[in-house]
C-alpha cells in the first residue's frame, strides 16, 4: 500500500509539469496581454514596455515558464494586473468554491445515492421510471438554463432566496447554486448507483446475507451498498475537480466570487499570472482527488487492497 | 421496503436542511444601513490610483472620493471650478493656479498646492507605470520624466512649480487654451501625503477629498462608501452612503434589482432591453453619454489611402442604415451619429448636429455610385474587424455589413472579421497590422470637442490608430488650441471636423447612451455625461 502511494505521487510530477506547461503555452499564444490594458486607447509605448518588463513578458516563453515554476515552488504565483498577488486572489476564491463544491458533492451523495438505491431496489416500478425520466431531463437541460430558471423562480417570482450570493458566500446561500452545479452529476450518480445496486442485488453474497436472516437495512448498507459504490466513488472523486473548475457558469449566474469568476476575469483580461496560477492549483486538486479515489477503492474492496 | 424508507427520510432531511439554510441565507440578506443605497459595480481593472484608472468602474469610485481643481457639471458637462479659486493665464501656455482654502482630505490633511504637484509628478513618472501618464504630456519636462524609451532622467516635471501654500504654476510645452478645462479629469486629482508615505496601505483603502470616504474595501467583491460629514464642498452627499457590489454578470445585477436586492444598476444588459420598460417603467434611464462608435481605416495600407479612396469611404458610410440598426438592434440605446463628437458637448461645446450631412445618411444609390467612382472596394471586399469577446460587437458589425451588402447589391461586399480577444484586437491595431476597416470606440476623457478630435485624428496622436494624417486638419487644431476665445476655438475645431467629413477619415456610426435602472426607494437618479451615476445627488427613501 505504501509503495503504491509513493508510486502514484511520483507519477503526479510529469502530469503536473505537462499540464502547467500546456496551459502556459496556451495562454501565451493568445497574444500580448498588455495591449488590452489601456481600454480602447493605445497604451503609451513606454509604460507598456515597462509593464512587459515587470511581468517578464519580454523574455522567451521557455524562460518565462522556468522562472514561473521556480517562483511557484516558493509559493509565489506572481501578481495580477490589479496589483494583487495571485495568492491573495486564491485565498479569497478557493474557500468559496470549495464550499460550493462541498454543497454540490453533498447533494450528489445524499440525494443521488438515495435515489439510486430506491430505484435500484425497485427496478421497473413506477418510482424507478419516474426518477429515470427526471434524471434524463436534468442531464439534457444545460446548467445555465436550470440556473437562470431557478434564479428567476426562487429569487424573483417567489422571493424565497436571494438571486445572488453575497461576497462572504455563507453555506446557506450556496444551497441553490450548489444544487444547480450538482444537478447533472447528481443524475449520473443516481443512474450509476441504480445500475450497480440492481446488478449486485442478485449476487450470491446478498442472497447469503438475506438467507442468514440479517436485517434488511444491514444487508443493504453493509453488503449491497458497499460493493455497489465503487463506480459511484470513482465518479464523485473525479467530479470534485470538474466541479471546482467547471463552476464558471454557475458562479457567473449567482454572482459567486470563486475560482470560476477569477478564471473568467483572468481569461478576459489575458492575465497570464491569474489563469496559470489557478489552473495549476486545479490540476493539483484533480490529481489529489484521483489519488484519494484510488485509495478509497482499497477501503471498499479488500481484493484491491491486497493486490 | 425499509431501505426505501431510509432513503426517503434521508432525502427529506436534506430538503429540510436546505430550506432551513436557505431561510438563514435570506434573512441574513443585504444588511445595508438605513439611508445607504447599494449599487452594481465591476471589478476595477487597475489598482485604484487616480492616474492609473482609465475605465468606468474605477472611475466611479474616484468620482465619489475625489474632487479636483475643476468638476464637470453632471448635467451640462461644463467644466466648473471646484478646488480651483482661480486659474489665470496671459499666453495660453503658463497657468497660475490658486487652490481654495479650507479643503481637507478625509484623513484631516489639508489640500495644498503641493497635493496637486506631487500627485501630477507621480502620475507622469514612468517608473510608476501609470496608465494615464500621457495626460501630463502637455506639461513641460514630460519627456524627461516619461521618456519614450529608457529610464526617466528626472522625477519632477520642470513645468510645475509650487509658488506658495495654495498656489502653483503650470508651464505647457505648447499653447493649449482649454488646458484648464481638462483638469476635471480624475487623473489630475490631488493626493494626500499618506499616499506616498504608505502606498500599500493607501491602495487597500484609498483616502481622498470627495463627498464620500471609503469605510471598507474587499477587493474584487465589495466597497462600502459613507458620507463624509467633514466635506467642505457644495456638492455634499444627499444619502448616507453607497455600497458598491461587484457583479460578475450584468444580467445577475439586473435580476437582483428586480428582486429588490440591489438599488441601482448602471448597465442594463442588452438582452434585457426589450423588457426593461415593462419591468421598471420610468425607473429606467437612457441618456446620451460621451461615447461615439466609428469605423476606422488603416491608412498605412496603400490600398486605403490612395487618391480617390475618400469616395469609397464616403460610399461605405452612405451604405449604412444607422437609423434602422439603432432602432431594431439597440432598442434606441444608440443615436445615429451626424458628426464626430457627442451630443453631451452641447451646441456651445462643439457638438454640431448634422455636420456630416449627406455622407452620413443612408443613400444606397449614391453609395453604389461613389464606390464605383472611387475604383471599387480594395480587393472587392471589406472585412470589418472587431473583438468577439465583449460588448456584443458581432451583432452590429453583421448588421452594418448586411446594410452595406444590400446597398451595394453584392452579398460579398462586406463581412465581419472577428478577433478572439480584446487584447489581441488592440495588439493588432497597435502594431498597425489591420488588413481592412476596424471598429473603433471613443469614450471621452473630458467633455471638450478637442478630446473628440485631437487624440484620434491629429498626425501621430496617441489614439490615431489608423494613422490618418491631414495637414489642413492639423493646422486648424493647432490654431484652435492657441485661441483663447472659446467660441472662436470651437469654430476652428468645427472647421477641422469638416476636413474629417470631406475625406471621411473615419465613418461615424452612432452615439452611445448610458443606461441604468433603479429601485423604487431611490429618487433623483441621473447619469452624468460619462454615463456614471451621480451618486451624491441620489436620495434614499
Amino acid at each position: 500500500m505504501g509503495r503504491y502511494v509513493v508510486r502514484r505521487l511520483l507519477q503526479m510530477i510529469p502530469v503536473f509539469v505537462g499540464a502547467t506547461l500546456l496551459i502556459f503555452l496556451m495562454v501565451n499564444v493568445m497574444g500580448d496581454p498588455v495591449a488590452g490594458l489601456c481600454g480602447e486607447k493605445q497604451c503609451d509605448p513606454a509604460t507598456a514596455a515597462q509593464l512587459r518588463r515587470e511581468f517578464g513578458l519580454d523574455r522567451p516563453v521557455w524562460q518565462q515558464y522556468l522562472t514561473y515554476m521556480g517562483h511557484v515552488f516558493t509559493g509565489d504565483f506572481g501578481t495580477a494586473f490589479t496589483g494583487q498577488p495571485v495568492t491573495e486572489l486564491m485565498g479569497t476564491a478557493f474557500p468559496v468554491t470549495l464550499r460550493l463544491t462541498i454543497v454540490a458533492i453533498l447533494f450528489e451523495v445524499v440525494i443521488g445515492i438515495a435515489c439510486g438505491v430506491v430505484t435500484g431496489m425497485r427496478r421497473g416500478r413506477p418510482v424507478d421510471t419516474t426518477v429515470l425520466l427526471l434524471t434524463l431531463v436534468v442531464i439534457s437541460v444545460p446548467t445555465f438554463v436550470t440556473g437562470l430558471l431557478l434564479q428567476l423562480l426562487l429569487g424573483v417570482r417567489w422571493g424565497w432566496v436571494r438571486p445572488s450570493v453575497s461576497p462572504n458566500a455563507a453555506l446557506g446561500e450556496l444551497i441553490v447554486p450548489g444544487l444547480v452545479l450538482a444537478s447533472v452529476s447528481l443524475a449520473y450518480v443516481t443512474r450509476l448507483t441504480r445500475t450497480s445496486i440492481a446488478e449486485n442485488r442478485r449476487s450470491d453474497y446478498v442472497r447469503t446475507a438475506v438467507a442468514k436472516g440479517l436485517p434488511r437495512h444491514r444487508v443493504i448498507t453493509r453488503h449491497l451498498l458497499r460493493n455497489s459504490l465503487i463506480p459511484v466513488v470513482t465518479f464523485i472523486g473525479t467530479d470534485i475537480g470538474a466541479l471546482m473548475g467547471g463552476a464558471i457558469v454557475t458562479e457567473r449566474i449567482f454572482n459567486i466570487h470563486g475560482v470560476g469568476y477569477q478564471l473568467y476575469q483572468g481569461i478576459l483580461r489575458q492575465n497570464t499570472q491569474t489563469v496559470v496560477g489557478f489552473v495549476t492549483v486545479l490540476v493539483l486538486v484533480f490529481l489529489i482527488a484521483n489519488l484519494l479515489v484510488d485509495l478509497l477503492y482499497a477501503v471498499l474492496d479488500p481484493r484491491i487492497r491486497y493486490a | 421496503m425499509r431501505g426505501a424508507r431510509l432513503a426517503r427520510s434521508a432525502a427529506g432531511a436534506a430538503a429540510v436542511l436546505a430550506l432551513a439554510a436557505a431561510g438563514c441565507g435570506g434573512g441574513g440578506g443585504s444588511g445595508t444601513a438605513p439611508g445607504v443605497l447599494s449599487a452594481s459595480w465591476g471589478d476595477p481593472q487597475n489598482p485604484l490610483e487616480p492616474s492609473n484608472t482609465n475605465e468606468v468602474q474605477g472611475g466611479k469610485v474616484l468620482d465619489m472620493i475625489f474632487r479636483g481643481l475643476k468638476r464637470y457639471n453632471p448635467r451640462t458637462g461644463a467644466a466648473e471650478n471646484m478646488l480651483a479659486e482661480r486659474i489665470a493665464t496671459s499666453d495660453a501656455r503658463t497657468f497660475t493656479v490658486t487652490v481654495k482654502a479650507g479643503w481637507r482630505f478625509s484623513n484631516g490633511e489639508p489640500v495644498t498646492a503641493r497635493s496637486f504637484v506631487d500627485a501630477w509628478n507621480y502620475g507622469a513618472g514612468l517608473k510608476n507605470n501609470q496608465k494615464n501618464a500621457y495626460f501630463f504630456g502637455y506639461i513641460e519636462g514630460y519627456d524627461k520624466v516619461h521618456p519614450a524609451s529608457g529610464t526617466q532622467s528626472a522625477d519632477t516635471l520642470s513645468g510645475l512649480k509650487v509658488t506658495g501654500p495654495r498656489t502653483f504654476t503650470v508651464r505647457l510645452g505648447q499653447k493649449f487654451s482649454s488646458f484648464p478645462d481638462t483638469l476635471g479629469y480624475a487623473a489630475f486629482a490631488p493626493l494626500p501625503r499618506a499616499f506616498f508615505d504608505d502606498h500599500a496601505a493607501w491602495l487597500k483603502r484609498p483616502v481622498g477629498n470627495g463627498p464620500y470616504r471609503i469605510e471598507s474595501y474587499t477587493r474584487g467583491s465589495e466597497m462600502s462608501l459613507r458620507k463624509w460629514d467633514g466635506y467642505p464642498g457644495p456638492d455634499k452627499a444627499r444619502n448616507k452612503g453607497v455600497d458598491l457590489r461587484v457583479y460578475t454578470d450584468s444580467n445577475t445585477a439586473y435580476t437582483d434589482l428586480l428582486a429588490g436586492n440591489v438599488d441601482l444598476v448602471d448597465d442594463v444588459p442588452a438582452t434585457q432591453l426589450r423588457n426593461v420598460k415593462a419591468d421598471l417603467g420610468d425607473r429606467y434611464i437612457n441618456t446620451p453619454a460621451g461615447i461615439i462608435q466609428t469605423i476606422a481605416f488603416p491608412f498605412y495600407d496603400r490600398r486605403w489611402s490612395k487618391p480617390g479612396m475618400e469616395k469609397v469611404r464616403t460610399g461605405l458610410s452612405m451604405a449604412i442604415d444607422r437609423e434602422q440598426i439603432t432602432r431594431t438592434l439597440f432598442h434606441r440605446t444608440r443615436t445615429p451619429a451626424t458628426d464626430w463628437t457627442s451630443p453631451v458637448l452641447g451646441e456651445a461645446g462643439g457638438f454640431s448636429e448634422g455636420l456630416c450631412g449627406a455622407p452620413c445618411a443612408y443613400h444606397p444609390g449614391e453609395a453604389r455610385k461613389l464606390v464605383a467612382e472611387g475604383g471599387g472596394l480594395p480587393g472587392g471586399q471589406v472585412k470589418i474587424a472587431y473583438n468577439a469577446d465583449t460588448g456584443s460587437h458581432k451583432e452590429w458589425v453583421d448588421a452594418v455589413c448586411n446594410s452595406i451588402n444590400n446597398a451595394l447589391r453584392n452579398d460579398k461586399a462586406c463581412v465581419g472579421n472577428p478577433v478572439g480577444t480584446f487584447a489581441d484586437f488592440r495588439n493588432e491595431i497597435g502594431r498597425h497590422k489591420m488588413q481592412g476597416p476596424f471598429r473603433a470606440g471613443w469614450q471621452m476623457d473630458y467633455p471638450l470637442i478637442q478630446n473628440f478630435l485631437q487624440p484620434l485624428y491629429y498626425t501621430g496622436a496617441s489614439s490615431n490608430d489608423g494613422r490618418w494624417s491631414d495637414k489642413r486638419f492639423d493646422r486648424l487644431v493647432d490654431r484652435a488650441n492657441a485661441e483663447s476665445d472659446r467660441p472662436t476655438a470651437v469654430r476652428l475645431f468645427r472647421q477641422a471636423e469638416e476636413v474629417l467629413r470631406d475625406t471621411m477619415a473615419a465613418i461615424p456610426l452612432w452615439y452611445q447612451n448610458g443606461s441604468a435602472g433603479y429601485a423604487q426607494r431611490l429618487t433623483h437618479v441621473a447619469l452624468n455625461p460619462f454615463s456614471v451615476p451621480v451618486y451624491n445627488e441620489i436620495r434614499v427613501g
Side-chain angles (χ1 to χ4, degrees), chain A residues 30 40 44 50 164 261 270, chain B residues 129 146 248 256 421 424 426:
Chain A
M30 292 198 320
E40 294 281 354
D44 136 56
Q50 169 106 348
S164 70
Y261 164 67
Q270 290 211 357
Chain B
N129 291 336
H146 196 108
T248 50
D256 249 3
T421 62
D424 249 358
R426 266 320 318 178

Side-chain angles (χ1 to χ4, degrees), chain A residues 30 35 39-42 44 46-47 50 54 82 84 118 122 162-164 216 252-253 255 257 261 269-270, chain B residues 1 7 29 43 47 129 134 146-147 219-220 246-249 252 256 259 261 421-422 424 426 439 445 462:
Chain A
M30 292 198 320
E40 294 281 354
K41 298 176 183 103
Q42 181 69 36
D44 136 56
T47 310
Q50 169 106 348
E54 241 163 64
T82 49
Q84 280 175 287
V118 173
R122 305 169 154 217
R162 284 185 50 166
S164 70
R216 196 181 155 87
R252 258 199 92 165
I253 293 174
N255 198 34
H257 298 246
Y261 164 67
R269 294 176 180 176
Q270 290 211 357
Chain B
M1 275 299 142
D43 197 16
N129 291 336
Y134 64 93
H146 196 108
R219 283 218 233 177
V246 172
Y247 280 92
T248 50
D249 188 343
T252 313
D256 249 3
N261 285 316
T421 62
F422 180 65
D424 249 358
R426 266 320 318 178
R439 78 154 192 96
D445 301 312
S462 57

Side-chain angles (χ1 to χ4, degrees), chain A residues 5-6 25 34 56 74 89 102 107 174 179 192 214 217 220 261 263 271 276 306:
Chain A
V5 174
V6 171
L25 289 177
V34 174
T74 59
L89 295 179
I102 289 173
F107 270 117
L174 293 175
L179 186 62
L192 268 176
L214 287 179
H217 69 94
I220 292 176
Y261 164 67
L263 267 177
N271 205 328
V276 179
Y306 300 121

Side-chain angles (χ1 to χ4, degrees), chain B residues 204-267:
Chain B
K204 282 211 165 68
R205 222 177 102 179
V207 172
N209 63 332
Y212 292 94
R213 55 179 180 75
I214 294 172
E215 192 177 64
S216 68
Y217 179 21
T218 318
R219 283 218 233 177
S221 57
E222 195 166 25
M223 181 186 268
S224 291
L225 295 124
R226 290 295 172 267
K227 180 184 180 178
W228 174 36
D229 293 319
Y231 178 69
D235 53 341
K236 290 187 189 355
R238 302 261 169 86
N239 47 56
K240 294 238 170 69
V242 180
D243 284 341
L244 296 175
R245 291 201 204 125
V246 172
Y247 280 92
T248 50
D249 188 343
S250 56
N251 274 300
T252 313
Y254 187 76
T255 312
D256 249 3
L257 175 69
L258 294 186
N261 285 316
V262 72
D263 298 319
L264 174 62
V265 167
D266 62 355
D267 175 23

Side-chain angles (χ1 to χ4, degrees), chain A residues 200 205-206 209 212 214 217-228:
Chain A
N200 289 335
Y205 62 84
V206 172
K212 272 201 299 189
L214 287 179
H217 69 94
R218 200 171 161 79
V219 174
I220 292 176
T221 48
R222 276 310 168 93
H223 295 256
L224 185 53
L225 205 53
R226 185 164 163 177
N227 278 289
S228 309

Side-chain angles (χ1 to χ4, degrees), chain A:
Chain A
M1 195 70 187
R3 269 180 57 200
Y4 174 71
V5 174
V6 171
R7 207 171 67 219
R8 282 299 306 269
L9 284 174
L10 284 177
Q11 279 172 359
M12 278 162 73
I13 295 171
V15 177
F16 179 71
V17 172
T20 46
L21 181 64
L22 218 83
I23 188 73
F24 205 87
L25 289 177
M26 271 150 68
V27 174
N28 270 283
V29 163
M30 292 198 320
D32 181 8
V34 174
L37 264 186
C38 297
E40 294 281 354
K41 298 176 183 103
Q42 181 69 36
C43 263
D44 136 56
T47 310
Q50 169 106 348
L51 282 171
R52 246 175 241 128
R53 204 157 44 238
E54 241 163 64
F55 287 110
L57 295 167
D58 53 343
R59 282 174 293 170
V61 176
W62 64 268
Q63 225 176 5
Q64 286 183 38
Y65 178 71
L66 285 186
T67 0
Y68 182 80
M69 287 313 278
H71 286 311
V72 164
F73 281 111
T74 59
D76 175 13
F77 282 85
T79 315
F81 288 149
T82 49
Q84 280 175 287
V86 175
T87 40
E88 198 183 304
L89 295 179
M90 288 178 178
T92 55
F94 270 100
V96 173
T97 301
L98 198 69
R99 249 173 293 162
L100 181 65
T101 313
I102 289 173
V103 173
I105 297 274
L106 273 179
F107 270 117
E108 279 179 33
V109 170
V110 175
I111 301 185
I113 295 184
C115 287
V117 171
V118 173
T119 50
M121 298 300 289
R122 305 169 154 217
R123 260 181 81 175
R125 304 271 194 81
V127 138
D128 181 35
T129 325
T130 319
V131 172
L132 269 187
L133 265 173
L134 275 178
T135 54
L136 192 68
V137 170
V138 170
I139 290 171
S140 51
V141 175
T143 320
F144 69 88
V145 175
T146 338
L148 286 173
L149 205 68
L150 278 183
Q151 186 183 44
L152 185 72
L153 290 179
L154 300 179
V156 182
R157 287 284 153 77
W158 302 331
W160 289 4
V161 293
R162 284 185 50 166
S164 70
V165 172
S166 66
N168 52 338
L171 266 181
E173 294 177 74
L174 293 175
I175 303 267
V176 178
L179 186 62
V180 171
L181 182 62
S183 59
V184 173
S185 302
L186 196 150
Y188 281 120
V189 168
T190 306
R191 292 185 152 220
L192 268 176
T193 318
R194 171 184 173 271
T195 322
S196 205
I197 290 267
E199 212 168 90
N200 289 335
R201 240 179 95 194
R202 289 191 219 96
S203 59
D204 294 341
Y205 62 84
V206 172
R207 207 178 314 138
T208 314
V210 174
K212 272 201 299 189
L214 287 179
R216 196 181 155 87
H217 69 94
R218 200 171 161 79
V219 174
I220 292 176
T221 48
R222 276 310 168 93
H223 295 256
L224 185 53
L225 205 53
R226 185 164 163 177
N227 278 289
S228 309
L229 277 186
I230 290 181
V232 181
V233 165
T234 320
F235 180 80
I236 293 179
T238 47
D239 208 36
I240 294 175
L243 288 179
M244 287 194 89
I248 294 190
V249 176
T250 317
E251 290 192 356
R252 258 199 92 165
I253 293 174
F254 293 99
N255 198 34
I256 301 168
H257 298 246
V259 172
Y261 164 67
Q262 293 294 352
L263 267 177
Y264 176 75
Q265 290 270 340
I267 292 168
L268 214 61
R269 294 176 180 176
Q270 290 211 357
N271 205 328
T272 325
Q273 312 278 337
T274 325
V275 177
V276 179
F278 274 82
V279 173
T280 306
V281 175
L282 281 178
V283 167
L284 278 177
V285 170
F286 258 101
L287 290 174
I288 292 170
N290 266 313
L291 178 67
L292 285 180
V293 166
D294 287 356
L295 295 182
L296 254 181
Y297 278 170
V299 176
L300 285 172
D301 190 342
R303 282 171 305 181
I304 297 171
R305 196 180 317 164
Y306 300 121

